[in-house]
Amino acid sequence: MSRNFYVKLRLKQVHVFVFTFLSFLILTTNLFAESVVTDGHSNEEVKRGERFFKGLLPFKRDYSSCVSCHNLQLTDTLNWNPSAMDIALKYADKDFESFKAVVMNPVGVKMEASHVNFTLPEEDLKTVKAYLDNLAHSGVPPAKPTHFNLILFLFLGVLLTWALADLIFLHKIKLKIIPMIIFLGAFGWQVKMIITDAIKLGRQENYAPDQPVKFSHKVHVGENGIDCMYCHTTVEQGKSAGIPATNLCMNCHIIIREGTNSGKFEIAKVVEANETGKPIEWTRIHNLPDHVFFSHAVHVGSGKLDCKQCHGPVEEMDIMEQYSDLSMGFCVNCHRDTKVDFGNNGYYEHFVKMHEDLKSGAIDSVTAADIGANDCMRCHY
C-alpha cells in the first residue's frame, strides 16, 4: 500500500477521535448543567420546590399556596405581600435556618395571619428554598407579549388583497359591491389602526411600572392625609417635583415599622436603605420628550395649579400611574381653559394692562394662553 493511504487512514482516525471527544464533552456539560442549577441544588430539587411554591404539592393541605400571596408576575392591582422575587433576593445569601425561621415562625401581625396552619416538612421546605435561590439567579421569565393587533392587521391585509384581486382579476363574486365593501372596510380599519398607534407613539398614558417598594398614595395621601408637598419638596421651586429621600420617610417610619396591609417587609426596605445609605431606585412614571421643557415651579409655584390637574386622583391610587396622556394637545387645551389667578398672585404684577382691563370690566378673566403660555418658544427652544 502507498504512503498516502496510511496518511489518509491516520487522519480519519484523528477526526473520529476528536468528534467522539467533543461529543462526550458536550454531553457531560449538558448533564452537569441539568443536574446542578445553583448553589449545589439539583434541577430535580428546584422543580420540586417550584411545585410546592405554586401549590401543586402537597395534594392535600389546610393552607394557601405560596404563589397565592407571593406573585411571580406583575399584576394590575397592588398585591401587598412581597413578590416571589423579593423573597428570593432577600434570602439568596442566607442559610436555610434563617429562611425556615421566618416561614415557620413569622413575626408581625400580618405575616402571622398569613402563615396560620402552615405546615411543611423540612425536606420539602428546603426544595422551596432551592427554587427561590434559583429564581434569584435566573429571574422571573418575562410575560409573553400579545400579538393580537399584528395578527388583526395582517388578516385585514389578506382580506384587502383578496377583495382587490377579485375586483381586478378573479371576478368570482358577481355582485361587485361585496368585494368593494370588504376592500373599503379592511383598508379603513388598517388606516385607523395606523393612525391610532402613531398618535400613541411616545406617550404612556396609564403607565404603571412595578416599583422597588410597594408605596401606596391611597394610604399616605388618601387615608393619612399627607400633603403632596411634604414629600415632593422641590415642586414649587424646581423643574422636577423631586423624589423624597429615605430620611424624610423615616420621620414617620422611625416609629411605624409595620403596615396594616403590607406588614413589615416593605417598610424594612426603606429602613435598610436609610441605614445603608443606598438610595431606593424608583422607576420614573411621567416622562416628556427630550425636546419639551416643563417646569413644576411655573405651574405649581407660580400658577398655583393643583397636582390633580395633571396627575389625577392620586389619593385613590394604590399603584401610581400616569393619569393624563401629557400630549401637546393636552397642554395646549389646558392653557386655553385654565384661568389664571391674577388678583392674589404677585408673579403676574407686571401684566399692568390686563390688571387694568380686569378692574374696568373689559375682560372678566385671563387664561394661561392669554399671557403667552401657548407660545412655541415657551416649551420648545
Side-chain angles (χ1 to χ4, degrees):
M1 295 187 179
S2 65
R3 180 181 177 82
N4 289 337
F5 172 78
Y6 286 108
V7 172
K8 290 180 180 178
L9 181 62
R10 183 55 59 90
L11 287 175
K12 186 175 182 180
Q13 290 174 338
V14 171
H15 290 161
V16 171
F17 173 78
V18 172
F19 177 77
T20 305
F21 176 75
L22 290 176
S23 300
F24 174 77
L25 186 62
I26 293 171
L27 180 62
T28 305
T29 303
N30 288 338
L31 287 173
F32 180 78
E34 290 180 2
S35 61
V36 179
V37 180
T38 180
D39 292 339
H41 301 313
S42 69
N43 188 58
E44 183 180 351
E45 286 178 315
V46 172
K47 288 295 184 183
R48 184 172 175 81
E50 182 180 6
R51 294 188 185 99
F52 276 106
F53 190 87
K54 293 183 177 179
L56 302 176
L57 291 174
F59 298 113
K60 294 182 180 180
R61 63 180 187 275
D62 298 325
Y63 52 87
S64 300
S65 63
C66 303
V67 76
S68 63
C69 293
H70 309 293
N71 59 289
L72 287 162
Q73 298 290 347
L74 175 66
T75 59
D76 56 358
T77 55
L78 186 59
N79 181 348
W80 289 103
N81 302 290
S83 67
M85 180 56 74
D86 273 340
I87 298 172
L89 292 173
K90 183 168 184 177
Y91 291 98
D93 299 327
K94 293 181 173 61
D95 58 21
F96 172 72
E97 292 302 322
S98 300
F99 178 73
K100 177 185 173 183
V102 172
V103 175
M104 305 306 293
N105 301 296
V107 177
V109 177
K110 175 71 175 177
M111 196 169 178
E112 285 179 4
S114 300
H115 284 229
V116 65
N117 297 327
F118 187 84
T119 54
L120 196 64
E122 184 171 305
E123 290 303 314
D124 295 330
L125 189 60
K126 284 181 179 179
T127 64
V128 175
K129 178 70 164 63
Y131 167 65
L132 292 173
D133 288 347
N134 184 64
L135 190 68
H137 286 80
S138 62
V140 178
K144 295 181 179 179
T146 57
H147 302 288
F148 176 77
N149 282 348
L150 177 60
I151 294 172
L152 177 61
F153 188 84
L154 293 176
F155 175 72
L156 292 172
V158 171
L159 282 180
L160 188 152
T161 304
W162 171 82
L164 189 63
D166 189 83
L167 284 170
I168 300 175
F169 304 108
L170 302 178
H171 307 293
K172 296 291 184 181
I173 300 178
K174 295 181 180 179
L175 295 174
K176 300 301 179 186
I177 189 66
I178 295 177
M180 181 64 71
I181 292 174
I182 293 175
F183 174 82
L184 292 176
F187 180 74
W189 198 266
Q190 278 191 327
V191 171
K192 177 180 178 296
M193 292 178 70
I194 293 172
I195 292 174
T196 301
D197 287 343
I199 291 174
K200 290 181 179 178
L201 192 65
R203 301 181 189 175
Q204 50 186 32
E205 187 178 2
N206 300 322
Y207 176 54
D210 196 13
Q211 297 288 1
V213 177
K214 292 177 180 177
F215 178 89
S216 169
H217 280 80
K218 182 177 180 180
V219 170
H220 290 77
V221 181
E223 297 177 9
N224 294 323
I226 299 176
D227 186 82
C228 301
M229 296 181 189
Y230 179 78
C231 297
H232 302 285
T233 54
T234 61
V235 69
E236 291 185 293
Q237 296 85 26
K239 182 177 181 292
S240 173
I243 299 295
T246 52
N247 59 1
L248 187 143
C249 303
M250 293 305 294
N251 288 346
C252 297
H253 289 293
I254 191 69
I255 299 173
I256 303 169
R257 293 298 179 95
E258 182 172 3
T260 305
N261 300 308
S262 61
K264 295 187 174 185
F265 195 90
E266 300 301 320
I267 296 176
K269 294 179 184 177
V270 178
V271 175
E272 183 180 1
N274 182 66
E275 291 176 350
T276 60
K278 183 179 180 180
I280 297 171
E281 297 181 5
W282 299 95
T283 300
R284 188 181 182 91
I285 299 175
H286 302 84
N287 289 296
L288 291 175
D290 292 340
H291 63 277
V292 177
F293 174 80
F294 176 87
S295 172
H296 279 82
V298 173
H299 291 79
V300 181
S302 303
K304 308 300 180 185
L305 289 186
D306 190 346
C307 303
K308 289 183 181 180
Q309 201 153 336
C310 295
H311 296 292
V314 296
E315 73 280 1
E316 300 174 6
M317 297 181 187
D318 276 323
I319 299 178
M320 186 64 186
E321 66 176 28
Q322 182 171 315
Y323 178 77
S324 307
D325 65 4
L326 303 183
S327 64
M328 181 173 177
F330 171 81
C331 296
V332 169
N333 289 333
C334 182
H335 292 161
R336 290 170 178 165
D337 299 335
T338 302
K339 294 180 180 180
V340 178
D341 181 9
F342 256 44
N344 303 313
N345 196 331
Y347 182 78
Y348 301 110
E349 288 180 353
H350 61 286
F351 291 94
V352 178
K353 180 65 169 60
M354 285 188 174
H355 278 288
E356 292 176 352
D357 290 341
L358 281 172
K359 290 179 181 179
S360 65
I363 56 176
D364 59 359
S365 63
V366 177
T367 65
D370 293 334
I371 57 175
N374 283 346
D375 183 358
C376 301
M377 295 302 290
R378 288 291 184 94
C379 303
H380 310 289
Y381 59 88

